[in-house]
Amino acid sequence: MNKNTKINALLLVVVAALAVLPLALGLGDGEKEPFTGADAQAETAITEIDPDYEPWFSPLYEPPSGEIESALFALQAALGAGVLAYYFGLRRGRRQGELRATAGQERRGADGGAEEPTVRKA
């Protein structure tokens, strides 16, 4: 196994552990909604500190349920990941194209600039 394969395997184990450990250790068992987002937790904390607090803004769109909100968030994350993957793939492709072009020029320069004539048959 080469070094990159070992690093990739280790990263997969770490990601799996981060996903499974909170569930296995029972973190958040005593809470009403154990795995809510930071926004909901902040809202709860502010309401406990100051029950008369009025938010400055209201959301533009309030999904009808938590499942739809989660689905929209996952869609947003997937679109962002797709845009990033496209960008980095495009950059890598351009770099590989430049390297191939440079290598082709060097090869032609080593031959004295003369290319082998092509023979066409009629």
Side-chain angles (χ1 to χ4, degrees), residues 79-90:
L79 287 172
V83 167
L84 284 175
Y86 174 78
Y87 171 74
F88 286 118
L90 186 66

Side-chain angles (χ1 to χ4, degrees), residues 54-95:
E54 292 287 327
W56 293 0
F57 300 103
S58 61
L60 296 175
Y61 171 70
E62 188 73 37
S65 69
E67 291 83 9
I68 294 175
E69 185 176 356
S70 295
L72 290 173
F73 182 76
L75 178 65
Q76 177 186 359
L79 287 172
V83 167
L84 284 175
Y86 174 78
Y87 171 74
F88 286 118
L90 186 66
R91 281 190 54 192
R92 182 175 180 170
R94 286 183 180 172
R95 189 172 2 155

Side-chain angles (χ1 to χ4, degrees), residues 1-20:
M1 208 183 316
N2 67 11
K3 184 178 178 180
N4 286 338
T5 305
K6 289 179 185 178
I7 290 173
N8 287 340
L10 178 65
L11 287 173
L12 281 173
V13 168
V14 169
V15 168
L18 285 173
V20 172

Side-chain angles (χ1 to χ4, degrees), residues 7 30 47 60 66 88-89 98 105 115:
I7 290 173
T47 305
L60 296 175
F88 286 118
E98 289 173 0
Q105 289 174 356
E115 295 182 18

